[in-house]
Structure formats: C-alpha cells, structure tokens
C-alpha cells in the first residue's frame, strides 16, 4: 500500500508529464480500437449500399430466402411428416436465425399440373380448349392483394365448386371471364372437381416484397385458392395431389450489419442442409438473393480492411514515437532519483516494478476509455465526405465490439512496453555513472551508429521496387487486383521511408549548422551567436524532438496527399470514362423491320425477305443546344468493332467520329496524359477531312506510323481510305489497357493485346461509310441543376433512350462507403498527427526551458533583456522545430510522390484510366502550414510567457542549491 501511495504522489508531482503520457496512451488505444469499430460500421454501410444497388439493377428485393420441396413418390403420411418438420424448423429456427427483422414468412403450396376444360365447352369432343393449370396457395395472401374485379374466393367449396382467383394476365391466358367454371379432367384426380373463377387480383403495393416474382409472372398458369383450404385438400385429405411446398422468407436487409453476415450465410446453409435431410438434392431448391452480393462484398471488405490498416500504420508508428519520447523525458527527469535508489540498495526489478505499476494504472484507464473514445471518433469520421470535409448524413451503425476491446488491449500492452523501455535503460546506470554522463558531452545516438537511416531507406526503396514490378504485371497481363498476392507490408514502407529520410537529413543537420555559423560568424548578434553555439554543440539532444516532428508533419502531408489523390483520381476516372458531363442517346427513325412474331420463320428464310442494311433519318441537332444550361454540345459517333487494314495487316478497332471544334469544347480530358494538349491533336486533323488519329496500341501492334494510309469500314460497309496524322495513347472514353482476363504472358508489354482506337471526322464517316446514330455529349454550366436539364428534355418531347449523368455518378462516388472509409481514416491520421505534434512539441520545450532555468537566469543577470532572451528562444526554435517542419513537409511530399501510387491496387489497376496520378491541392498545403504555424506560434507565446515569469533571484538560488 505504501508503494502504491508513493507512486500516486510521484504521479501528482509530475502531473504534466503523466498527463501528456496518458493523452498519448489514450489516443493510441482509441485509434487502434476504432479500427474494428470503424471497419464494422463502414462495412455495414457498404453492405447495405451493395444490396440497394442490387435491388436497383435487378428490380428484386435482396433480403429474401426461398426454399422449396418437390414431392415425388412419398406416401401421404411421409409428405405430412416432411412438411410439418421443415415448416416448423423454418418458422422457429430458420427465419429468426438471420438475426434480422422478419417481414414475411410466406408458405406456398402447389398442386401437380392438371388438364382442365370449360364447363360449357363448345367442342367437347376435341382437345382444342383443354389447358394445363396448377393450384397455388399463399399464407396471408389477402393482406397483400386488392381485387381488381369480382370478389375473394370462399374458404370452402360452394355447392361442391372450388372458388379461385386469377391474375389479369392469367385471365387472358385462359381466355375466360369472371364466374366461368372449369372442370378438371385428369387421371391424377379420383373424382371430377369444378373450379370457378370468382375474381382477379393485383398487388396492393408495387414495392411489396411479399411476392417472389414482382410482376406475378409465375402465376400466369395458376389458379390461386385459399391457403387453409389448400392445406386441407393437398396434405391432410390428399384429395388434390401436391407437387411441392415452398417457404419465402423476407427480412429487412436495411438493418443488416457486418455482424449479421455470418449468421445470414450460416442460416441459409442450415436451411439447405435441413431440406437435404428430408429429400434428395434433386427434390429441393434453396436460394438467397443476397448471397451473390455478399460474396462480392466480402472481397471489397477484405480490400478495405487491408487499406485501412495500411493507412493507419504511419500514424501508429508516429504514436509509438510519441509514447517513447514522453517516456524518455520522464526517465531523463527521474534518472537522478533512480540512480539514488540504486545506490541505496534497490534492485533493478524493484525500480522497474514501481514504474510498471504506474504504467499499468495508466494503461488500464486508457484500455477502459479508449474503445468508447474510438466510437466517438468513428461517429465523427462517418460524416466525412472528403479530406477534412464533413457533411450531414445518416449516422453509421456504430457499436463497441469485443474485437475493439481486443485491439485496445493489444495497443495498451504495446504502449506499456514502450513506456518501460526508457526506465529499464535508466536503471542500468549507478549514481556515479549518472554524474559522469551529465559531465560528458552527449554521445552519438544509437541510430547514428547502426545506420538505421540507411537501412530504413533501403528497405523502403526495395518495397517500392517490388510493388512497381507487381503493378506492371497486373497491368500488362490484364489481371484483377486479387489475381496476384499483394503483401500488406507494401503499405508500411512509406513510414519506413519517412523515418529513414528524416534520420538521414538529421545526420547532415550538424554540418548545415556549422555552415550557417561559419557564413555569418562576423555579423551574428550575441543572441543568435549564443543560440548557434547552443544548438550546434548540443544538436543530438534536439534530434529526438526533430525526428518526432518530422514524422508527424510528414505523416500529415502524406495523409493529405493520399486523400486528395484518391478522391481526384476517382473523379477523373468517372469523367474520363463518360467523356462529358451529360451523354444522351436519341432514338432515330429507321426502316429496320419489326421483330418477328412468335412462330415466324427464322434463319436464312427470314433473311431473304429483309434488307440487311438499315437506313436512318438523322434528327435535328439544334434542340440539344437549346436545353437549359447547355454551354457546348457535340456529336460523337462510336463503332466498337470497326474493321481496318493497314500495311497488309487487318484488325478490329473502336472507331470514333467527331466534330473537332465542338468535341474539344465539350469533352473532359486531363491534358497531362498526352505530350501535347488534346486540342492540339484535334487542330492537327481539323483541316483534312481524311485525317485520323490512332491509338499507340494500334501503332505498335500493326507497326503504323504517321503518314500511313489506313482503310476503315465495318460489316456491310466497304472500307474507305484515311490518313494517319497523329498517334495518341489516351482519348476520352478509350481504355488502352488489356481487357481483364486477357492474359498473354508471351508478349513483352501491355500493348500486345490492348484495345485499338481510330478517331476521324464525323462528316466524312457519314458520307463515305454510313449514316448511323450517334450520341450527343453535353457540357453544362455549373449553376444549372440537373433537374432543370431533365425538365427541358421532357418539355421538348425528345425521344431519349439513355442518359449518362456524370454529375450523378460523381455524387454517388462521394457517398460510396469505400471512399468514405479512406477519407475518414486519412482525415483522422492528419488530425492526430497535428495534435500529437503540438502536444509533443510543447511538452518538450516546456521541460527544456525548465531545465535551463539557471542558464537563462545567468543570461538575464549579465545584462540580456527579456526581448533578447525571447529572440534567442525564437532562433533556437527556428533552427530546430522550424527546420524539422520544413524537412517533414519535404519528406512528406517526396513520400507521397513515391508511395501514394501504391493505393491504386485497391481500384483494379488493369482498368484504371486515366493512370493514377499523385495530386497536391494548394488548399491542403495551406491547411498544413496554417496549423503548423499556429502550433509554433502558440508554443512560442507560452514559452515567452514562462521566460517573462523568470526571476533572477530564483535562478541564483537554484544555482546555490
């Protein structure tokens, strides 16, 4: 107990150091524990988004599971046993097993198919009016339909007649009307049964997930009867032979989170296994619509986890440095106390134990609070729409998980070990050795002796070279990112490069100081002269602070650049792929024959009666230019499989026909992609109607050069000559990379199997080749809303068949959970870097100033004014902290240029066009410089205030002590 009280008193005595240490500890635990919290939250959001996308594309509700049993030769008792067993399992274990709100559990029964004929058949001796039908029933059916004509059927036979419902489509299919009666004439039925159509129905709500087939097409050949009556007739009394029973489970997929994925998959498999225990594989169907989307999601989730860890590694290393620096400061301040305890007989383990208890106390508190702080960080990051940009959006499904506490425990344990390292080193020194060290000049640091800087840079460059080789393989072979194993340690190398670069420059730092001192030694005022002497002779004591600042600032710059690069490249990819802000496809009047009716002849016989060439009538282009907000509009013709021949070689290429002036004003293009601006190439071919531009893939594969003649045409269109004026590698919408999966390892480069492109003049293509429909590319002014543009299309009654809206795609990309996660993690890394650097910077200088109280008092006593003393401090900060900040910015920029391209591995580099480009925004650098400037200024003000409070008699008294 006495030891514990002593430890508490020591912590109170060094409250600022302990508080700083605890802040770093808490932030480390919070950051690490926020990873699984944020991962689960953002992955849950991503899963729901993927399922919503699936619903939009397929028009089916994803949160469903459908199981069906088919009965063949089972006895009635056996069928009842199987049905009751499976139905009980699905309702009591299956549906709840998904761990999601259950909206519907629909049981449907289906009879075998029967032959029926109208009761008043005008041709009873023929089979002309005989049709097939199956009886169907669904639980709670009446709650989800509305009667469009007639009435609901009775639950029991009326005068021996079974009443049924039909869909409108089935009514037409059976060529009948309400109140018609059909008679079952089939050997499967022992006695004749009459069926009376009493009504037709439709869905009560269009978006009702109750129906497995949203358009009710599965009921076209069915009559629907009451579910209780169907159960009695098909299973209990065995009057109507049953074909099968199905169970349709509908759950609320919008509530699905990462924690539910395993339950969803396991329950789907459990239902399938239960069915297989009762029937053979050929007698059952078990399918979940969401499983395919979940499989794709799991791949994206793994990519996201890898990226999130890789993005956090530099921040974790920085926090480790911070923890070590603060622990080292505590150990330095208490080395004298430790040496005295050792000299008075205390064993090393006893001293280490006392500090270990203190570390355990702080780590325990941080472990308890860290995951909850991590949850708060996750809430904040969920609102990020870009780097350091926040918007109001639906909150993420955040919760503190067991995994978060596991991560927090690992982080707290690692920090605990880091805190003990300086203490263990300090206990090796006796009181005599401690006094000897204080009297000697500071030794060269360990990293200087073992060339840690050179080793770190060598490892970082090796990692960079390895990544570049793997990326080249991905692009040249047309592979997916998952086709090659990418080592996650590839993302650790930026931190190694930052650390190694900082240490290498600090190795040169003393020589730079000597050069500065030598250049101005005849002119330096006393304050600057004294500062240069102080810093130059004791440069090693500043180096830990400097490497800390270098790492934090460089990490911040790297995070800013990575975020900006990922965001901008995502936007560029969308704009390049679409070509323009709006792309409209219009219906052209043509003489194409209508599709043949059912039963019509096909093949060669049908081809003889139709003209293979379709003639089109070009609509007016003027209405497009008058739509609201249109700044420029261009005609763009595209033929994806145009045939060409050149230099005795032939092939297939994408042909684009454009008007050069309109196209240049309308399209989006990153000019740095080509040797010259795109408009220069368009001007090159503008004067000659026969001129074309070709892709470098075509030039290399077919050995074509400028000046060659190339013949171009397509099916049923004779080839015409064009002259090659220029060779380009990129062009709007054109991807020169090999198609994914087109592996040709025997070739030497990526151009061996890449697509080819020919760009020519639209008027010549229309006159010399053929007049066919083209798209209209449109550029809008920034102030016109998309809704106004759409309204203009409606008002002019334009027959538009397709619209590509780049604005909408950019907005969707910003809300993509994958991109949200990257922005959130990078924003967190930047904010923590600046916060930690400020705390570390202030702590170091406050302690340093306190340690030099006697020296500053003497300087004041010999005549230096407070202003000169503050000037000395400012110069000292300039040559230490200021230099560290500049080095950090420089190394951060260099690390960004080298290592930010690593992140393109998450975006399928084989199809990434335009190429991944590292980008910097002036606004990001302004943020960094502003925050760092505020940090230095506030620190200087605090230190200046501390100097102003210094009293000479206190310093003299300290000297006497």
């Amino acid at each position: 107990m006495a030891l514990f009280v002593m430890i508490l008193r020591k912590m109170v005595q060094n409250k600022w150091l302990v508080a700083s240490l605890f802040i770093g500890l808490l932030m480390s635990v919070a950051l690490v524990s926020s990873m699984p919290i944020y991962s689960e939250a953002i992955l849950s959001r991503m899963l729901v988004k993927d399922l919503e996308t699936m619903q939009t594309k397929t028009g089916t509700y994803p949160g469903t599971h459908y199981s069906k049993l088919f009965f063949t030769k089972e006895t009635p008792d056996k069928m009842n046993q199987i049905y009751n067993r499976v139905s009980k399992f699905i309702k009591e274990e299956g549906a709840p097993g998904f761990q999601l709100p259950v909206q519907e559990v629909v049981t449907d029964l289906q009879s075998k198919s029967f032959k029926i004929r109208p009761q008043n058949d005008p041709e009873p001796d023929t089979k002309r009016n005989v049709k097939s039908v199956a009886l169907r029933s669904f639980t709670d059916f009446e709650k989800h339909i509305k009667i469009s004509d007639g009435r609901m059927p009775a639950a029991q036979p009326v005068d021996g007649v079974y009443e049924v419902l039909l869909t409108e489509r089935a009514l037409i299919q059976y060529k009948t009307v309400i109140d018609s009666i059909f008679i079952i004439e089939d050997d499967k039925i022992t006695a004749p049964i009459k069926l009376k159509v009493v009504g037709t129905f439709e869905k009560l709500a269009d978006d009702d997930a109750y129906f497995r087939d949203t358009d009710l097409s599965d009921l076209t050949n069915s009559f629907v009867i009451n579910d209780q009556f169907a159960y009695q007739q098909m299973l209990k009394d065995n009057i109507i032979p049953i074909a099968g029973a199905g169970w349709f489970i509908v759950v609320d997929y919008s509530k699905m989170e990462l924690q539910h994925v395993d339950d969803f998959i396991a329950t789907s498999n459990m239902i399938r296994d239960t069915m297989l225990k009762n029937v053979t594989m050929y007698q059952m169907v078990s399918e979940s619509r969401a499983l395919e989307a979940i499989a794709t999601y799991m791949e994206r989730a793994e990519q996201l986890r890898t990226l999130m860890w890789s993005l956090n590694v530099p921040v974790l290393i920085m926090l480790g440095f911070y923890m070590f620096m603060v622990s080292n400061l505590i150990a330095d301040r208490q080395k004298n106390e430790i040496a005295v305890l050792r000299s008075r007989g205390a064993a090393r383990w006893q001293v280490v134990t006392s500090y270990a208890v203190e570390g355990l106390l702080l780590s325990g508190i941080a472990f308890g609070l860290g995951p909850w702080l991590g949850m708060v960080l996750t809430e904040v990051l969920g609102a990020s729409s870009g780097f350091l940009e926040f918007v109001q959006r639906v909150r993420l499904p955040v919760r503190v998980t067991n995994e978060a506490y596991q991560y927090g425990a690992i982080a707290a344990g690692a920090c605990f070990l880091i805190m003990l390292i300086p203490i263990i080193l300090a206990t090796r020194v006796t009181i005599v050795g401690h006094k000897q060290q204080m009297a000697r000049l500071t030794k060269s640091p360990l990293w200087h002796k073992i060339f840690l800087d050179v080793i770190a840079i060598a490892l970082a460059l090796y990692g960079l070279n390895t990544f570049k080789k793997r990326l080249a393989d991905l692009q040249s072979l047309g592979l997916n990112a998952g086709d090659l194993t990418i080592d996650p340690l590839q993302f650790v190398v930026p931190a190694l490069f930052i650390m190694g670069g900082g240490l290498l420059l600090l190795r040169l730092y003393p020589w730079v100081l000597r050069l500065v001192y030598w250049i101005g030694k005849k002119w330096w005022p006393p304050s600057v002269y004294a500062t240069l002497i102080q810093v130059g002779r004791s440069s090693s004591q500043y180096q830990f602070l400097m490497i800390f600042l270098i790492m934090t600032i460089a990490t911040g710059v790297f995070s800013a650049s990575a975020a900006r690069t990922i965001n901008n490249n995502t936007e560029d990819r969308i704009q390049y792929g679409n070509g323009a802000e709006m792309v409209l496809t219009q219906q052209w009047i043509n003489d194409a024959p209508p599709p043949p009716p059912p039963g019509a002849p096909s093949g060669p016989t049908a081809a003889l009666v139709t003209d293979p060439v379709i003639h089109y009538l070009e609509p007016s282009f003027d209405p497009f230019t008058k739509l609201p907000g249109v700044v420029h509009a261009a005609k763009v013709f595209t033929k994806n499989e145009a045939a060409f021949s050149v230099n005795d070689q032939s092939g297939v290429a994408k042909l684009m026909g454009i008007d050069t002036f309109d196209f240049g004003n309308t399209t989006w293009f990153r000019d740095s992609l080509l040797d010259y601006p795109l408009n220069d190439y368009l001007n090159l071919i503008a004067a000659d109607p026969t001129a074309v531009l070709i892709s470098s893939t075509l030039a290399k594969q077919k050995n074509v050069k400028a000046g060659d003649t190339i013949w171009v045409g397509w099916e049923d269109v004779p080839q015409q000559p064009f002259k090659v004026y220029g060779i380009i590698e990129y062009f709007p919408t054109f991807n020169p990379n090999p198609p994914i999966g087109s592996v040709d390892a025997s070739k030497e480069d990526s151009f061996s199997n890449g697509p080819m492109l020919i760009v020519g003049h639209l008027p010549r293509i229309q006159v010399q080749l053929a007049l066919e429909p083209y798209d209209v590319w449109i550029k809008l002014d920034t102030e016109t809303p998309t809704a106004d543009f759409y309204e203009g299309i409606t008002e002019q009654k334009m027959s538009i068949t397709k619209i590509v809206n780049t604005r909408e795609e950019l907005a969707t990309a910003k809300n993509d959970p994958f991109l949200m996660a990257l922005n959130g993690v990078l924003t967190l890394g930047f904010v923590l870097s600046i916060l930690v650097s400020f705390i570390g910077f202030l702590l170091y200088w406050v302690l340093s100033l306190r340690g030099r109280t006697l020296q500053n008092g003497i300087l004041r006593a010999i005549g230096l004014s407070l202003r000169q003393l503050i000037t000395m401090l400012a110069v000292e900060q300039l040559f230490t902290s200021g230099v560290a900040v500049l080095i950090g910015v420089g190394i951060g920029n260099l690390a960004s240029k080298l290592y930010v391209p690593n992140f393109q591995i998450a975006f399928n580099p084989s199809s990434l066009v335009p190429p991944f480009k590292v980008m910097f925004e002036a606004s990001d650098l302004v943020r960094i410089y502003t925050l760092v400037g505020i940090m230095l200024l506030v620190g200087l003000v605090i230190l200046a205030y501390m100097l102003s409070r210094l009293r000479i008699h206190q310093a003299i008294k300290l000297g006497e002590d």
Side-chain angles (χ1 to χ4, degrees):
M1 187 63 186
L3 178 63
F4 187 70
V5 172
M6 184 189 74
I7 291 171
L8 289 179
R9 287 177 177 173
K10 186 175 63 174
M11 292 172 66
V12 172
Q13 185 180 0
N14 298 282
K15 54 183 176 294
W16 294 114
L17 273 174
V18 173
S20 300
L21 183 65
F22 178 71
I23 289 173
L25 185 58
L26 183 61
M27 284 194 298
S28 300
V29 175
L31 176 65
V32 174
S33 60
S34 72
M35 290 182 192
I37 297 174
Y38 191 52
S39 295
E40 178 167 340
I42 205 69
L43 290 174
S44 298
R45 172 70 61 81
M46 189 166 75
L47 175 58
V48 173
K49 286 285 186 182
D50 286 350
L51 294 175
E52 287 176 353
T53 301
M54 173 187 170
Q55 183 173 0
T56 302
K57 289 183 177 179
T58 63
T60 58
Y61 189 80
T64 62
H65 178 92
Y66 183 65
S67 303
K68 189 167 186 177
L69 296 174
F70 297 98
F71 298 113
T72 53
K73 298 179 181 180
E74 290 83 1
T75 63
D77 288 343
K78 184 67 173 177
M79 284 190 291
N80 268 286
Q81 291 175 7
I82 293 174
Y83 172 83
N84 291 330
R85 192 159 48 234
V86 173
S87 183
K88 180 180 179 182
F89 169 79
I90 287 179
K91 292 176 181 177
E92 295 182 0
E93 297 183 46
F98 290 109
Q99 301 296 319
L100 294 169
V102 178
Q103 296 177 327
E104 302 287 348
V105 179
V106 184
T107 303
D108 79 271
L109 299 177
Q110 180 175 350
S111 72
K112 291 184 178 180
S113 182
F114 307 119
K115 299 295 184 182
I116 61 172
R117 71 164 66 239
Q119 184 179 30
N120 300 318
D121 188 356
E123 301 176 283
D125 297 330
T126 68
K127 294 186 178 181
R128 180 174 299 178
N129 296 319
V130 175
K131 295 184 179 296
S132 297
V133 73
L135 299 182
R136 300 283 299 274
S137 72
F138 304 89
T139 54
D140 297 326
F141 185 69
E142 63 280 358
K143 297 179 182 178
H144 299 272
I145 64 166
K146 58 182 177 181
I147 300 299
S148 54
D149 192 9
R151 59 180 174 82
M152 288 291 295
Q156 296 294 330
V158 178
D159 297 329
V161 178
Y162 294 8
E163 296 186 347
V164 300
L165 286 177
L166 277 71
T167 62
E168 295 283 355
R169 192 180 303 175
L171 200 69
I172 298 172
Q173 170 78 8
Y174 288 100
K175 300 178 181 178
T176 188
V177 294
I178 303 297
D179 292 333
S180 297
I181 297 177
F182 291 86
I183 301 175
I184 298 178
E185 293 184 354
D186 200 291
D187 295 339
K188 303 183 185 75
I189 304 296
T190 57
I193 295 177
K194 294 181 179 181
L195 305 174
K196 182 178 182 180
V197 180
V198 297
T200 58
F201 69 93
E202 57 188 35
K203 293 195 299 183
L204 184 63
D206 288 337
D207 58 351
D208 192 355
Y210 173 89
F211 296 95
R212 183 164 171 262
D213 285 327
T214 56
D215 60 353
L216 304 182
S217 58
D218 61 328
L219 297 178
T220 303
N221 297 310
S222 303
F223 288 178
V224 180
I225 61 176
N226 179 271
D227 62 302
Q228 294 295 330
F229 179 58
Y231 175 73
Q232 184 75 29
Q233 293 287 308
M234 295 185 192
L235 283 167
K236 295 194 71 174
D237 298 338
N238 197 32
I239 295 174
I240 301 176
I242 186 171
W247 293 267
F248 187 53
I249 304 172
V250 182
V251 296
D252 186 1
Y253 76 85
S254 66
K255 300 294 190 298
M256 185 177 288
E257 299 179 10
L258 181 63
Q259 58 179 321
H260 300 133
V261 171
D262 291 339
D263 290 328
F264 193 94
I265 296 173
T267 302
S268 297
N269 293 332
M270 188 167 58
I271 293 175
R272 184 176 184 274
D273 293 341
T274 301
M275 308 275 279
L276 286 174
K277 289 178 183 177
N278 291 277
V279 295
T280 66
M281 183 181 297
Y282 305 103
Q283 290 178 260
M284 52 86 60
V285 171
S286 183
E287 58 185 22
S288 291
R289 287 173 177 165
L291 287 180
E292 184 177 349
I294 287 176
T296 305
Y297 154 81
M298 295 301 286
E299 296 176 3
R300 294 184 70 200
E302 194 58 37
Q303 288 180 331
L304 183 58
R305 283 194 184 97
T306 302
L307 263 183
M308 288 181 67
W309 269 105
S310 63
L311 291 171
N312 274 316
V313 163
V315 182
L316 292 172
I317 294 176
M318 174 205 63
L319 286 172
F321 257 82
Y322 172 82
M323 294 295 301
F324 186 79
M325 186 186 78
V326 176
S327 301
N328 198 52
L329 287 173
I330 292 175
D332 284 342
R333 281 179 62 85
Q334 298 180 2
K335 271 184 179 179
N336 190 63
E337 179 183 340
I338 294 172
V340 169
L341 289 173
R342 292 277 289 117
S343 67
R344 292 180 179 178
R348 289 183 64 189
W349 69 268
Q350 291 175 314
V351 177
V352 172
T353 300
S354 67
Y355 283 92
V357 172
E358 178 182 342
L360 284 174
L361 183 62
L362 294 176
S363 299
I365 298 173
F367 170 69
L369 298 177
W372 295 98
L373 179 59
M375 188 177 73
V376 174
L377 290 175
T378 302
E379 293 271 9
V380 175
L381 295 182
S384 64
S385 64
F387 182 67
L388 290 178
E389 298 174 4
F390 300 93
V391 296
Q392 290 289 338
R393 58 159 53 103
V394 179
R395 72 181 289 274
L396 292 174
V398 177
R399 68 187 185 95
V400 178
T401 61
N402 291 331
E403 192 178 8
Y405 276 109
Q406 292 172 7
Y407 278 54
I410 294 172
C415 291
F416 173 73
L417 294 177
I418 291 173
M419 288 188 292
L420 283 186
I421 291 174
I423 302 300
I424 294 173
L425 296 176
T427 57
R428 297 171 58 185
V429 181
T430 63
I431 186 67
V432 177
H434 175 59
K435 296 298 182 183
Q436 288 175 341
Q437 286 183 0
M438 292 179 65
R440 294 173 182 168
L441 291 174
T442 307
K443 295 180 181 179
S444 296
L446 179 63
W447 65 263
H448 196 290
K449 296 177 182 178
I450 65 173
F451 291 94
L452 182 61
D453 49 348
V454 177
I455 295 172
I457 290 178
L459 289 174
L461 294 178
Y462 172 77
L464 178 64
N465 185 56
T466 303
F467 173 79
K468 285 185 174 180
K469 287 182 178 178
R470 293 184 176 184
L471 183 62
D473 290 338
L474 283 172
Q475 293 176 326
S476 63
L477 299 178
L479 302 177
N480 278 311
D483 292 333
L484 289 180
T485 302
I486 301 300
D487 189 352
L489 291 177
Q490 288 292 331
F491 298 103
V492 179
V493 291
L496 285 177
F497 181 82
I498 289 172
M499 183 180 70
L503 293 176
L504 180 63
L505 291 177
L506 287 184
R507 184 186 289 273
L508 306 175
Y509 174 65
W511 298 97
V512 176
L513 278 180
R514 291 177 188 177
L515 178 63
V516 173
Y517 168 75
W518 180 79
I519 290 174
K521 64 180 180 179
K522 295 182 180 179
W523 301 284
W524 297 129
S527 58
V528 176
Y529 181 85
T531 302
L532 286 172
I533 293 293
Q534 164 72 21
V535 177
R537 291 179 179 177
S538 308
S539 59
S540 59
Q541 79 179 49
Y542 298 99
Q543 289 193 353
F544 203 89
L545 169 70
M546 294 180 71
I547 187 59
F548 170 71
L549 287 176
I550 289 170
M551 287 204 64
T552 54
I553 299 301
T555 300
V557 172
F558 183 80
S559 296
S561 174
R564 186 61 59 189
T565 297
I566 291 171
N567 289 328
N568 286 3
N569 276 279
T570 300
E571 294 178 2
D572 287 0
R573 177 172 52 84
I574 293 172
Q575 293 179 100
Y576 180 93
N578 293 342
E581 203 165 350
M582 292 285 177
V583 178
L584 306 182
T585 302
Q586 189 176 19
Q587 179 68 44
W588 284 30
I589 298 174
N590 60 77
D591 60 357
S602 58
T605 306
L608 293 174
V609 298
T610 60
D611 186 351
V613 178
I614 301 174
H615 302 90
Y616 293 93
L617 180 63
E618 182 177 1
S620 173
F621 181 71
D622 190 56
F624 290 100
T625 63
K626 295 180 179 178
L627 289 172
V630 172
V631 178
H632 293 288
K635 306 173 183 177
V636 181
F637 169 74
T638 304
K639 196 73 175 179
N640 287 318
E641 294 185 353
F644 71 87
S645 56
V646 59
N647 298 337
D648 298 327
Q649 298 185 74
S650 60
V652 176
K654 177 181 180 180
L655 174 65
M656 293 184 69
I658 61 173
D659 290 320
T660 54
F661 179 78
D662 290 337
F663 186 84
N665 286 323
T666 305
T667 191
W668 180 94
F669 193 77
R670 188 200 292 168
D671 283 333
S672 60
L673 292 174
L674 302 175
D675 296 333
Y676 303 94
L678 176 65
N679 286 344
D680 287 358
Y681 289 92
L682 298 179
N683 291 335
L684 179 67
I685 65 172
D688 187 353
T690 66
V692 295
L693 300 172
I694 65 170
S695 64
S696 54
T697 51
L698 191 156
K700 291 188 177 184
Q701 291 179 44
K702 306 301 180 183
N703 195 25
V704 182
K705 59 185 182 299
D708 289 352
T709 299
I710 184 170
W711 293 72
V712 184
W714 58 85
E715 186 179 3
D716 298 323
V717 175
Q719 294 185 357
Q720 298 296 326
F722 295 85
K723 184 169 289 186
V724 176
Y725 266 51
I727 299 173
I728 53 177
E729 188 169 356
Y730 298 97
F731 198 78
T733 72
F734 174 65
N735 185 353
N737 294 325
I740 293 175
S742 60
V743 179
D744 190 358
S746 63
K747 303 295 184 180
E748 295 182 355
D749 54 51
S750 61
F751 295 98
S752 60
N753 56 345
M756 294 176 281
L757 173 72
I758 303 170
V759 181
H761 291 277
L762 178 61
R764 176 171 171 81
I765 291 173
Q766 290 178 329
V767 172
Q768 296 291 329
L769 295 176
L771 176 65
E772 292 192 359
Y774 51 73
D775 292 333
V776 178
W777 291 15
I778 289 175
K779 180 178 181 180
L780 299 176
D781 62 54
T782 55
E783 297 179 357
T784 301
T786 305
D788 292 352
F789 178 75
Y790 285 163
E791 189 176 341
I793 294 177
T794 304
E795 289 177 354
Q796 295 201 29
K797 299 180 180 179
M798 302 173 72
S799 55
I800 303 299
T801 59
K802 181 182 177 183
I803 299 178
V804 176
N805 188 339
T806 303
R807 285 186 180 181
E808 184 178 334
E809 291 186 22
L810 290 174
T812 301
K814 273 200 166 186
N815 291 319
D816 180 59
F818 197 86
L819 208 58
M820 283 169 52
L822 296 181
N823 284 316
V825 171
L826 291 170
T827 297
L828 177 63
F830 178 79
V831 172
L832 283 182
S833 298
I834 297 301
L835 179 62
V836 166
S837 64
F838 176 73
I839 296 173
F841 162 82
L842 195 58
L843 177 65
Y844 182 90
W845 280 108
V846 168
L847 293 177
S848 176
L849 205 58
R850 285 183 178 177
R852 287 156 52 186
T853 302
L854 176 60
Q855 177 186 344
N856 291 330
I858 292 173
L859 290 174
R860 287 295 309 277
I862 63 176
L864 260 68
S865 66
L866 177 62
R867 181 178 178 183
Q868 289 175 310
L869 210 56
I870 293 175
T871 302
M872 287 180 61
L873 182 64
V875 173
E876 186 177 356
Q877 286 220 50
L878 178 65
F879 281 109
T880 52
S881 303
V883 169
V885 169
L886 291 177
I887 293 175
V889 171
I891 291 180
N893 281 315
L894 183 57
S896 299
K897 289 183 179 297
L898 294 176
Y899 294 99
V900 166
N902 288 20
F903 296 123
Q904 65 183 296
I905 202 70
F907 298 93
N908 197 7
S910 295
S911 59
L912 198 61
V913 178
F916 208 72
K917 177 185 177 183
V918 179
M919 300 182 185
F920 297 92
E921 284 279 338
S923 59
D924 295 335
L925 295 178
V926 168
R927 287 189 187 118
I928 294 172
Y929 292 138
T930 301
L931 291 172
V932 172
I934 292 173
M935 178 187 77
L936 294 177
L937 183 60
V938 171
L940 185 60
V941 169
I942 293 174
L943 297 178
Y945 175 74
M946 291 179 62
L947 278 178
S948 68
R949 302 280 293 176
L950 178 65
R951 299 291 178 264
I952 296 177
H953 68 276
Q954 293 175 337
I956 294 174
K957 181 66 170 63
L958 179 64
E960 290 175 354
D961 293 339

